[in-house]
């Protein structure tokens, strides 16, 4: 297949919007789909910058020869996609071993920290502004839907007895410096949803709040990383140990924010240190030698933590200090491996589409997956009324896997409905469903 | 054991010896089988009341009121999951229940009493006791009593998940099927009491058990007999509150001294009979038929296999403990010996004015066998050019297919001669070099090794003593900043500073490293030069020198920097070659054991040492880790981990000591914990694989390798020196 044909094919697939210069353009365009968690591509904001070209997103003309720095690191994409999938599965099943196998949140923050450090070669104010511009619109979209639904379901200024506070706290839906307010118990739309649906739906918001704080403090953190790297790495862990020692009262909005900040601070800083090349400056044997010890310490902290439900056992997500240490150990190893794939290893090639889609819609998937999981409940309830399903499919209806199966199309629906906001926030042409089309024979070349 | 050999592919390493695809299968299956038996043994060993973690009482919000206020038997099966039904024992009826058994001390006596009084009772047995006392289970069943399930290991199920619950019940049923051919649908949770003591943590257990189809039998009356309150108190506690009221009485037939229970039992029976009570099993009392059903077919056979395996594991355990003891003794003895002897060696050789003899200043021939070494050979030769001892260098190009020879010629160093020969293996290349060498003292090194300026001088100084026939140098890992490199660095430093000093003092050095060693031509000629009988020609020739009566010493200051294997598969191949080669060499020189003179001395001291520490110990070493795992799960996790870390600390101390002796930076020791675990497993697998090769196809490789080209030397002996 020659270049022209290929270009035509792709153009057709993308409704002829782009001019395809050559093969490389096609490839880079398809794989360099930016998403909000990873703002690798915001050099776009300043097209005049000399190194803007390699990171260029859709529509930008790429030079034929890919520069090392410009090609997406597929390894990081894989980690991000794994983290997202893990979060969805965990929220469906609640398996406590899952966060141990793959501490998603630590990985997400480490990746974000790494990319933040990379962007901060530019003036800090502009970087922060561009981050917020990417983060907030998807959240506003989410807030518009969820707050409306909560109000329709009986939530309002008088729900908590402090109407002024209620109006004031709504500001956190605009700028989530603290967790946005939500209805504790509502009617559940005349019983179709559980009374606590709002609480279940806003579970992911803490991540945005923590992320916002990391972004705001990143210029300072990066300075510290450059000056006293090892101390900066240790400080969040030490702070986390102090906050969770039981000597500090952890109630309240401020402490909630502080606890989350210290829990994943070490991961964020580690991501920054990784970007700064700190991990490459120490001998290679150090990280894999220390990581098992760190993990052992994290596991020990987890085991000695008091448990809510002894039949389920300790949950990493509920023990901040153990979470901090365990995530730190895992992220250490994952960043140490960091093979920097410019293209997929053979076995992973087939997942390119899903991983690219997840990466370019990461915020949407993350924000809406809990809504999808909550929505499965009324949907599955309908099936219980169906005679055939009741008689023959009870094994399916009672299975824990079934909600997940139902939730996946709902998440896809959310992508279709709300995903475009991510593109708009990144000043890209909004796309309905950024699933990359593979060009025939591409990989074999 | 540290030693160096070029990681290269020669004809000496036939393809069959390259790690076979199933190389992990046997070693791992042996380990897994062992672990499986230890799990069985651990379960069987699980004494009642071992698991001391008991859930404290909490709220009772989720427990249905009917259950709290109802009788001792709770039925939450099937569609009764959400509307459980409680049954009471009918009036004038007593159900005697015995928990935690059967025990070989007390259950037979209790059964005697029951038989004498013609009373049928219920025994809530644990799986662990069942597998240990199969005859008693059969006796209970034959006596018409009823068996209930009391879990396998007697944990407080409120603290465990449903998977553990299913496992506890499933294994117990398996054990019951195996010993008596029955299953039981009656269950009593460990640490349970009356139904009104259920709480938010323990109720889910009963519910889950109901879902699995079990009736849960709680009690009316706890006699507290396990506290040994006195016979009178037990009898008193068993009496019903209201005359004529039916009740389920809890007694124990295991878990300690039950003499009071035994004494109280006839009194209880007589007293209650006098009040008009009859004694029934749970099934009879509820009018529901026996809770025990016969099993057949595959279930029965699975049970029998399970019970037999458990019995085997119980039988096996003492041997495993013995094995662990052997490993412990070997490891500790080895370290103690190494520490003492290395100290001795250091004191001897670092004494001011110490010398093996008069200073050696005569020129030396350095032989560099090279096979496809184009990346390294330049460095090697340049480092030799900087030598502060007069040398001639003979590079033997063993039929390289790359540019090695051209690079050597190109370099044009004045003291270097290049000999090219068709590929015939490292021993042949070395022999070629020896034949061409012009001096009496011969240093052998690898093509990828770099010498320090003083290395050759330090290496040949011991030849001042005419009895010394060969000298081992100190090989160091150059690429030590990678993980595998750091592991090998630790291994090399320990191997050269502890092992080799020990062997030096004991005068039974098993190997002169291929990377840095020196020989007297006379000694080499006497033993017939290098031989390709084995895969480890360096070990082979060293043993031959010992048998010929030559002394071999270690020169710590003769340092050679070498590139260690960079990947696990390379490391595996190298170690496989070494351990198999060592075994071959030991076999070749086995007759030394019976020889007289220096050969006999080596045969009776050196060979057993090598066999013990290089062949037996690594094979058994994973026992330490297996014992740690076993201990964590079945004994006491903190004690087990403590013991494991104690061994690690000892190793760390030895490693630190060897680093100190070699004046190396101790930072590398942070990787020691990981290194020890990985190396134990690696060496275990390598050795097992070597044994398999030796026992199955080993004989084939005793034959001489077929040569590829014509016999003899290629005549093109090129003078590399440019004039």
């Amino acid at each position: 297949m020659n270049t022209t044909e290929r270009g035509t094919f792709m153009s057709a697939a993308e409704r002829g919007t782009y001019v395809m210069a050559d093969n490389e353009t096609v490839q880079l365009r398809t794989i360099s789909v930016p998403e909000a968690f990873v703002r690798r591509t915001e050099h776009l904001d300043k097209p005049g910058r000399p190194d803007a070209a390699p990171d260029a997103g859709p529509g930008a003309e790429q030079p034929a020869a890919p520069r090392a720095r410009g090609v997406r690191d597929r390894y990081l994409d894989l980690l991000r996609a794994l983290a997202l999938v893990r979060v969805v599965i965990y929220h469906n099943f609640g398996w406590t071993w899952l966060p141990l196998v793959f501490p998603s949140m630590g990985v997400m923050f480490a990746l974000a920290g790494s990319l933040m450090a990379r962007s901060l070669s530019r003036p800090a104010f502009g970087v922060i502004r561009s981050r917020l511009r990417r983060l907030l619109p998807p959240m506003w979209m989410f807030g518009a839907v969820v707050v409306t639904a909560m109000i329709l379901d009986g939530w309002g200024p008088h729900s908590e007895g402090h109407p002024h506070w209620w109006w004031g706290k709504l500001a956190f839906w605009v700028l989530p410096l603290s967790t946005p307010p939500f209805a504790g118990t509502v009617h559940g739309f005349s019983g179709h949803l559980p009374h606590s649906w709002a609480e279940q739906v806003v579970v992911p918001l803490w991540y945005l709040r923590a992320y916002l704080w990391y972004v705001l403090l990143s210029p300072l953190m990066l300075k510290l990383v450059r000056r006293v790297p090892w101390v900066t790495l240790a400080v969040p862990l030490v702070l986390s140990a102090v906050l969770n020692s039981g000597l500090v009262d952890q109630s309240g909005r401020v402490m909630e924010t502080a606890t989350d900040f210290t829990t994943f601070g070490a991961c964020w800083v580690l991501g920054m240190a990784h970007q700064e090349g700190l991990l490459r400056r120490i001998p290679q044997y150090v990280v894999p030698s220390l990581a098992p010890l760190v993990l052992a310490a994290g596991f020990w902290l987890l085991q000695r933590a008091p448990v809510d439900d002894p039949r389920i056992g300790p949950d990493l997500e509920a023990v901040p200090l153990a979470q901090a240490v365990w995530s730190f150990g895992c992220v250490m190893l994952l960043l140490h491996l960091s093979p920097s794939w410019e293209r997929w290893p053979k076995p992973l090639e087939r997942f390119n589409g899903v991983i690219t889609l997840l990466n370019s819609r990461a915020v949407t998937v993350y924000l809406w997956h809990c809504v999808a999981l909550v929505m499965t409940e009324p949907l599955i309830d309908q099936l219980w009324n169906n005679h055939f399903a009741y008689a023959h499919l009870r094994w399916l209806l009672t299975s824990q896997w079934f909600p997940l199966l139902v939730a996946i199309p709902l998440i896809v629906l959310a992508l279709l409905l709300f995903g475009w906001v991510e593109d708009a926030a990144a000043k890209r042409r909004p796309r309905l469903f950024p699933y990359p089309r593979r060009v025939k024979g591409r990989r074999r070349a | 054991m540290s030693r160096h050999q070029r990681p290269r592919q020669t004809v000496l390493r036939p393809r069959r010896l390259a790690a076979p695809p199933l190389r992990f299968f046997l070693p791992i299956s042996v380990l897994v089988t062992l672990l499986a038996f230890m799990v069985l043994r651990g379960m069987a060993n699980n004494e009642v009341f071992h698991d001391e973690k008991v859930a404290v009482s909490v709220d009772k919000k989720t427990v249905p009121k009917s259950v709290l206020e109802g009788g001792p038997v709770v039925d939450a099966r099937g569609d009764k999951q959400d509307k459980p039904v409680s049954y009471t024992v009918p009036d004038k009826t007593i159900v005697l229940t015995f928990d935690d058994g059967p025990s070989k001390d007390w259950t037979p006596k209790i059964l005697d009493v029951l038989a004498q009084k013609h009373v049928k009772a219920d025994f809530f047995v644990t799986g662990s006791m069942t597998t240990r006392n199969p005859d008693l289970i059969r006796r209970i069943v034959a006596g018409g009593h009823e068996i209930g399930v009391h879990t396998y290991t007697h944990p407080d199920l409120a603290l465990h998940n449903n998977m553990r619950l299913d496992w506890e019940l499933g294994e117990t049923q398996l054990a019951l099927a195996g010993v008596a051919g029955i299953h039981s649908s009656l269950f009593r949770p460990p640490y349970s009491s009356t139904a009104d003591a259920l709480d938010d943590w323990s109720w889910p257990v009963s519910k889950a058990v109901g879902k699995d189809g079990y009736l849960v039998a709680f009690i009316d009356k706890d006699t507290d007999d396990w506290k040994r309150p006195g016979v009178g108190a037990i009898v008193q506690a068993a009496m019903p509150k209201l005359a004529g009221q039916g009740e389920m009485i809890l007694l124990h037939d295991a878990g300690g001294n039950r003499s009071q229970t035994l004494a109280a039992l006839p009194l209880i029976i007589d007293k209650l009979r006098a009040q008009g009570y009859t004694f029934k099993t749970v099934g009879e009392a509820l009018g529901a038929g026996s809770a025990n059903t016969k099993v057949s077919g595959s279930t029965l056979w699975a049970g029998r296999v399970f019970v037999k395996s458990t019995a085997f594991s119980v039988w096996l355990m003492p041997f495993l403990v013995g094995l662990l003891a052997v490993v412990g003794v070997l490891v500790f003895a080895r370290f103690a010996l190494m520490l003492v002897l290395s100290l001795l060696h250091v004191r001897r050789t670092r004494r001011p004015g110490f010398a093996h003899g008069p200073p050696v200043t005569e020129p030396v021939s350095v032989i560099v066998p090279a096979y496809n070494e184009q990346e390294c050979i330049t460095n090697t030769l340049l480092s030799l050019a900087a030598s502060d001892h007069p040398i001639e260098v003979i590079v033997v190009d063993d039929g390289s297919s790359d540019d090695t020879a051209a690079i050597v010629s190109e370099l044009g160093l004045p003291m270097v001669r290049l000999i090219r020969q068709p590929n015939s293996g490292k021993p042949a290349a070395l022999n070629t070099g020896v034949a061409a060498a012009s001096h009496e003292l011969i240093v052998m090194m690898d093509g990828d090794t770099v010498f320090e300026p003083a290395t050759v001088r330090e290496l040949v100084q011991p030849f001042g003593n005419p009895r010394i026939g060969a000298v081992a140098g100190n090989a160091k890992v150059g690429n030590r900043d990678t993980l595998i490199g750091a592991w090998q660095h630790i291994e090399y430093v320990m191997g050269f500073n502890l092992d080799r000093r020990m062997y030096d003092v004991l005068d039974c050095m098993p190997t002169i490293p291929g990377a840095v060693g020196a020989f007297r031509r006379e000694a080499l000629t006497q033993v017939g030069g290098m031989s390709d009988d084995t895969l480890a020609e360096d070990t082979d020739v060293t043993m031959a020198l010992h048998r010929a009566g030559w002394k071999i010493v270690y020169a710590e200051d003769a340092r050679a920097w070498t590139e260690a294997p960079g990947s696990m598969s390379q490391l595996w191949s190298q170690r496989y070659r070494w351990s198999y080669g060592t075994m071959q060499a030991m076999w070749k020189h086995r007759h030394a054991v019976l020889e007289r003179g220096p050969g006999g001395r080596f045969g009776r001291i050196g060979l057993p040492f090598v066999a013990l520490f290089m062949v037996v110990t690594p094979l058994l070493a994973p026992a330490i880790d297996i014992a740690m795992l076993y201990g964590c799960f079945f004994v006491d996790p903190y004690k087990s981990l403590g013991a494991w870390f104690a061994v690690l600390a000892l190793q760390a101390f030895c490693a630190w000591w060897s680093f100190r002796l070699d004046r190396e930076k101790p930072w590398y020791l942070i990787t020691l914990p990981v290194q020890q675990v990985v190396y134990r497993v690696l060496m275990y697998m390598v050795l097992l694989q070597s044994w398999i090769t030796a026992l199955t196809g080993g004989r084939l490789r005793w034959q001489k390798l077929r040569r590829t080209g014509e016999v003899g030397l290629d005549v093109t002996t090129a003078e590399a020196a440019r004039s």
Side-chain angles (χ1 to χ4, degrees):
Chain A
M1 188 188 276
N2 64 37
T3 314
T4 327
E5 274 173 26
R6 207 173 291 173
T8 320
F9 171 71
M10 282 307 292
S11 298
E14 296 292 332
R15 289 178 235 99
T17 318
Y18 308 135
V19 183
M20 295 298 146
D22 57 26
N23 304 356
E24 286 306 325
T25 311
V26 177
Q27 186 189 18
L28 284 173
R29 189 202 56 72
T30 38
I31 61 176
S32 66
V33 186
E35 42 70 47
F37 275 80
V38 188
R39 277 134 257 235
R40 290 177 74 139
T41 54
E42 67 263 272
H43 313 7
L44 277 185
D45 305 347
K46 310 198 172 172
R49 275 173 46 79
D51 64 338
D55 272 281
E61 290 302 316
Q62 294 279 337
R67 280 188 240 159
R69 219 177 107 82
V71 182
R72 282 192 79 99
D73 186 344
R74 304 309 250 153
Y75 176 68
L76 301 186
D77 286 354
L78 174 71
L79 289 186
R80 199 173 295 112
L82 277 179
L84 268 179
V85 170
R86 202 286 271 154
V87 167
V88 175
I89 292 179
Y90 173 74
H91 281 157
N92 182 60
F93 293 101
W95 291 329
T96 50
W97 51 267
L98 212 49
L100 284 172
V101 174
F102 194 81
S104 283
M105 288 352 244
V107 171
M108 294 281 248
F109 282 119
L111 296 180
S114 162
L115 296 164
M116 187 72 190
R118 179 176 167 149
S119 304
L120 277 173
S121 53
R122 292 179 285 128
F125 182 72
V127 174
I128 292 177
R129 198 183 53 188
S130 108
R131 295 277 145 151
L132 294 189
R133 208 197 57 225
R134 300 229 183 170
L135 175 75
L136 295 179
M139 196 201 120
W140 293 334
M141 185 79 215
F142 178 76
V145 174
V146 171
V147 172
T148 312
M150 285 193 293
I151 289 173
L152 285 178
D153 202 19
W155 191 51
H158 297 285
S159 300
E160 291 154 21
H162 297 283
H164 298 298
W165 290 13
W166 188 87
W167 285 108
K169 278 193 276 186
L170 273 190
F172 290 137
W173 275 105
V174 180
L175 190 67
L177 287 171
S178 182
T179 310
F182 57 88
T185 44
V186 275
H187 303 308
F189 293 104
S190 41
H192 287 299
L193 289 174
H195 293 300
S196 60
W197 69 264
E199 195 178 347
Q200 294 174 40
V201 153
V202 298
V203 161
L205 286 181
W206 74 267
Y207 177 88
L208 276 73
R209 184 237 308 148
Y211 180 83
L212 178 69
W213 277 104
Y214 286 130
V215 167
L216 291 178
L217 293 177
S218 270
L220 175 70
M221 286 155 83
L222 189 61
K223 266 192 191 120
L224 288 173
V225 167
R226 284 177 180 154
R227 194 157 304 165
V228 278
W230 304 113
V231 177
T232 316
L233 265 179
V235 162
L237 291 176
V238 172
L239 282 179
S240 179
V242 172
L243 283 185
N244 294 290
S245 62
L247 302 173
V248 184
D249 178 20
Q250 277 176 286
S251 55
R253 282 180 171 270
V254 176
M255 289 314 286
E256 181 191 41
T257 306
T259 303
D260 283 341
F261 186 87
T262 54
T263 301
F264 296 102
C267 292
W268 183 279
V269 174
L270 199 58
M272 290 186 137
H274 173 66
Q275 175 64 32
E276 291 289 298
L278 191 72
L279 295 184
R280 283 191 298 276
R281 283 207 295 276
I282 55 174
Q284 282 177 43
Y285 70 89
V286 174
V287 169
S289 308
L290 290 181
L293 308 179
V294 174
L295 290 177
F299 191 74
W300 178 73
L301 286 168
L302 177 66
Q303 293 303 321
R304 61 188 282 278
V307 290
D308 291 337
D309 182 348
R311 301 206 67 215
I312 294 175
D315 186 356
L316 194 65
E317 304 278 328
V319 188
L321 183 57
Q323 167 83 292
V325 176
W326 181 268
S327 300
F328 184 69
C330 279
V331 167
M332 253 166 100
L333 275 181
L334 289 172
L335 289 183
H336 171 76
L337 287 177
S338 194
S340 295
W341 296 327
E342 287 187 13
R343 50 174 52 187
W344 290 112
K346 262 265 172 347
L348 292 175
E349 211 178 311
R350 67 179 69 187
F351 301 110
N352 173 46
V354 179
I355 295 176
T356 306
L357 177 69
L358 284 174
N359 272 279
S360 47
R361 289 286 180 263
V363 176
T364 313
V365 171
Y366 183 71
L367 275 177
W368 291 93
H369 80 274
C370 280
V371 179
L373 286 173
V374 168
M375 292 296 290
T376 58
E377 206 167 316
L379 290 177
I380 293 176
D381 274 351
Q382 293 301 314
L383 283 177
W384 282 102
N385 299 332
N386 178 306
H387 281 294
F388 177 80
Y390 183 78
H392 302 290
L393 296 175
R394 237 180 304 172
W395 58 272
L396 184 68
L397 300 184
T398 52
S399 162
Q400 269 193 304
W401 290 87
F402 194 47
L404 189 67
L405 281 179
V406 177
I408 288 170
L410 290 179
I411 292 174
V412 172
L413 185 68
L415 290 190
L416 294 174
L417 288 177
F418 310 111
W420 57 270
V421 184
E422 275 191 72
D423 286 333
K427 289 192 184 166
R428 284 194 304 258
R429 191 187 66 90
R431 278 181 300 162
L432 199 59
F433 195 68
Y435 192 91
R437 299 285 296 265
R438 208 180 97 175
V439 185
K440 255 191 218 162
R442 160 69 54 201
R443 184 59 168 75
R444 324 273 171 249
Chain B
M1 294 300 104
S2 294
R3 164 165 52 140
H4 186 75
Q5 208 168 354
R6 287 178 294 174
R8 67 172 192 176
Q9 189 102 22
T10 68
V11 284
L12 248 191
R13 206 179 134 212
R15 189 163 293 178
R16 277 192 56 195
L17 253 183
L22 287 175
R23 65 191 184 193
F24 298 121
F25 178 72
L26 197 96
I28 287 180
S29 50
V30 168
L31 267 188
V32 167
T33 314
L34 205 61
L35 268 174
F37 276 121
M38 292 183 78
V39 167
L40 284 176
R41 163 66 198 178
M43 281 158 33
N45 187 41
N46 210 295
E47 295 288 344
V48 180
F49 299 129
H50 161 74
D51 188 351
E52 282 155 7
K53 262 200 313 193
V54 182
V56 288
S57 182
V58 291
D59 291 347
K60 301 165 184 274
K61 282 184 224 152
T62 59
V63 192
K65 211 166 172 204
S66 66
V67 170
L68 289 174
E69 291 169 358
V73 181
V74 177
D75 182 359
R77 293 178 298 182
D79 45 4
K80 298 190 198 104
Q81 268 283 292
D82 295 315
K83 294 184 280 291
V85 180
S86 294
Y87 304 105
T88 47
V89 179
D91 286 350
K92 293 281 178 189
T93 306
I94 291 288
V95 180
L96 287 176
T97 63
F98 297 89
D99 280 14
D100 301 348
S103 74
K104 63 178 191 306
D105 295 331
W106 303 104
T107 309
K109 291 173 187 159
I110 286 171
L111 284 172
D112 287 344
V113 172
L114 292 175
Q116 200 186 341
K117 302 274 180 194
H118 303 290
V119 166
K120 305 273 180 279
D122 274 68
F123 288 82
F124 288 91
V125 299
T126 66
S128 139
M129 299 298 265
T130 302
T131 50
R132 278 193 286 172
N133 304 300
D135 293 338
L136 285 175
I137 296 289
R138 288 193 275 268
R139 214 187 127 185
I140 292 171
V141 173
H145 305 290
E146 202 171 42
I147 299 262
V149 175
H150 198 43
T151 72
Y152 202 95
T153 64
H154 206 273
D156 188 343
L157 289 168
L159 297 177
H160 297 282
N161 57 19
N162 278 341
M163 221 165 78
R164 170 77 182 263
L165 174 67
D166 291 343
W167 180 85
E168 291 276 350
L169 298 178
E171 304 300 281
T172 310
Q173 297 285 23
L174 211 50
L176 285 176
V179 301
I182 58 161
H183 272 178
S184 172
S185 58
L186 208 55
F187 172 75
R188 173 173 292 165
Y191 305 101
S192 67
S193 148
T194 50
D196 62 3
L198 278 167
D199 58 33
D200 284 354
W201 282 8
S202 53
W203 171 239
V205 175
S206 302
K207 223 174 139 178
V209 167
K211 200 173 182 181
D212 290 345
Y214 288 86
L215 272 182
V216 187
F218 295 99
I219 58 169
D220 289 307
K221 276 290 191 177
D222 189 353
T223 57
D224 274 342
D225 62 328
W226 57 277
K227 291 181 187 156
R228 299 171 43 80
V231 176
I234 296 176
V235 174
Q236 194 51 46
M239 293 303 122
K241 251 183 278 173
L242 298 172
Q245 189 182 40
E247 60 168 23
M248 175 121 51
I249 297 174
L250 170 63
L251 293 156
H252 293 85
D253 63 336
N257 187 333
R258 292 286 164 262
S259 55
Q260 293 187 357
T261 310
L262 187 64
L265 186 59
L267 300 177
I268 294 172
I269 293 173
D270 290 344
K271 273 187 116 169
L272 288 170
R273 271 219 173 114
Q275 293 180 24
Y277 276 96
T278 53
F279 293 86
K280 291 180 174 171
T281 63
V282 175
E284 290 165 358
L286 300 182
S290 173
N292 296 347
T293 46
K294 284 248 175 289
V295 294
S296 59
S298 61
T299 326
L300 186 64
W301 282 104
R304 283 183 181 159
V305 170
F306 178 80
V307 170
K308 283 270 182 288
S309 310
T310 306
F312 176 72
S313 74
V314 171
W315 173 84
L316 188 70
M317 195 62 179
F319 294 97
L320 294 179
V321 172
L323 206 66
L324 187 67
V326 169
V327 175
V329 168
L330 277 178
V331 167
F332 281 86
R334 175 160 176 258
F335 279 138
L337 201 64
M338 285 198 306
L339 286 177
V340 171
L341 294 184
S342 66
L343 194 66
L344 205 70
H345 182 263
V346 168
R347 286 213 163 173
R348 190 191 291 168
T349 56
R350 291 191 183 168
R351 202 177 56 222
F354 167 84
H356 288 281
V360 176
T361 52
E362 58 173 295
V364 174
S365 299
V366 180
I367 298 168
V368 186
Y371 175 78
N372 290 352
E373 302 280 9
Q374 59 179 5
E375 294 85 5
C376 317
I377 193 79
T378 310
N379 285 336
T380 305
L381 293 181
L382 289 177
S383 79
L384 284 173
S387 173
D388 61 6
H389 194 88
I391 54 169
E392 67 158 355
V393 179
I394 299 161
V395 179
V396 184
D397 176 34
D398 191 29
S400 295
S401 52
D402 67 358
D403 284 338
T404 308
I407 291 172
V408 174
S409 310
E410 193 82 358
L411 270 175
L413 293 165
M415 73 300 175
V416 174
R417 268 196 298 158
L418 174 68
I419 301 176
R420 306 173 76 160
Q421 65 173 33
N423 189 298
S424 33
K426 191 177 174 189
L430 288 170
N431 285 335
T432 305
V434 173
S438 12
H439 305 302
E440 277 309 301
L441 298 183
I442 290 163
V443 167
M444 293 184 187
M445 70 185 297
D446 283 341
D448 59 354
T449 303
V450 171
F451 274 14
E452 294 175 4
T455 302
V456 174
R457 180 169 47 79
E458 292 289 350
L459 197 57
V460 298
Q461 287 315 306
F463 288 125
N465 177 347
R467 282 194 53 230
I468 292 176
V471 183
N474 185 358
K476 309 221 124 258
V477 175
N479 51 335
R480 52 177 74 170
D481 275 356
T482 62
L483 188 62
I484 292 183
W487 291 347
Q488 291 177 83
H489 174 49
I490 295 179
E491 185 199 13
Y492 273 52
V493 172
M494 287 180 80
F496 278 93
N497 285 285
L498 297 178
D499 290 281
R500 241 166 264 270
R501 286 180 205 274
M502 168 175 84
Y503 288 130
D504 185 324
V505 174
L506 293 174
D507 201 10
C508 58
M509 183 94 60
T511 305
I512 294 168
V516 49
F519 300 85
R520 270 182 209 281
R521 181 200 288 274
E522 185 193 347
L524 276 179
T525 317
Q526 194 184 339
V527 299
M530 296 294 187
S531 136
D532 58 5
D533 289 342
T534 69
L535 288 178
E537 74 282 345
D538 43 6
T539 305
D540 184 9
V541 77
T542 314
M543 290 182 173
L545 288 172
H546 275 297
R547 291 178 73 182
W550 291 99
K551 229 173 115 60
I552 298 170
V553 295
Y554 166 60
E556 58 173 318
D557 290 323
R559 282 179 288 269
W561 294 79
T562 173
E563 190 184 326
S567 71
M568 271 323 259
S569 63
Q570 279 176 7
L571 186 63
W572 168 283
S573 303
Q574 188 194 42
R575 295 316 152 98
Y576 185 36
R577 209 165 60 226
W578 288 2
S579 72
Y580 190 67
T582 305
M583 283 160 67
Q584 282 179 314
M586 286 171 63
W587 182 249
K588 181 178 171 185
H589 295 284
R590 64 190 182 280
H591 299 301
V593 178
L594 301 173
E595 274 172 14
R596 301 165 65 92
R601 188 187 134 75
F602 173 75
R604 285 184 292 272
I605 297 176
L607 278 183
F609 254 97
V610 177
L612 211 54
F613 292 146
M614 289 169 79
V615 180
V616 177
T617 314
L619 207 55
L620 303 182
I624 296 173
D625 302 292
I626 292 180
M628 187 267 284
L629 285 177
Y630 178 82
C632 276
F633 283 106
F634 296 113
V635 191
D636 181 338
Y638 287 99
K639 272 187 196 156
S640 313
L641 279 173
W644 191 83
F645 275 107
V647 173
L648 187 65
L650 181 74
Q651 282 168 328
F653 175 75
C654 288
W656 171 83
W657 168 246
S658 62
F659 269 64
R660 220 181 100 89
L661 285 183
D662 219 14
R663 301 179 190 93
E664 288 282 356
K665 291 192 184 83
W667 308 123
Y668 291 89
L669 293 180
I670 57 166
T671 193
L672 187 81
V674 187
Q675 189 244 11
Q676 286 301 326
V677 176
V678 173
Y679 260 70
R680 271 203 287 268
V681 175
L682 176 80
M683 293 314 291
Y684 155 79
M685 304 227 291
V686 162
L687 267 157
L688 207 58
Q689 194 63 47
S690 306
W691 270 109
I692 294 163
T693 314
L695 294 176
T696 55
R699 288 173 68 93
L700 283 175
R701 265 174 295 282
W702 290 112
Q703 299 164 348
K704 296 277 184 193
L705 288 150
R706 201 152 25 86
R707 292 281 164 253
T708 45
E710 58 275 32
V711 186
L713 271 180
D714 191 353
V715 279
T716 56
T717 305
E719 187 74 38
R722 244 184 264 154
S723 44

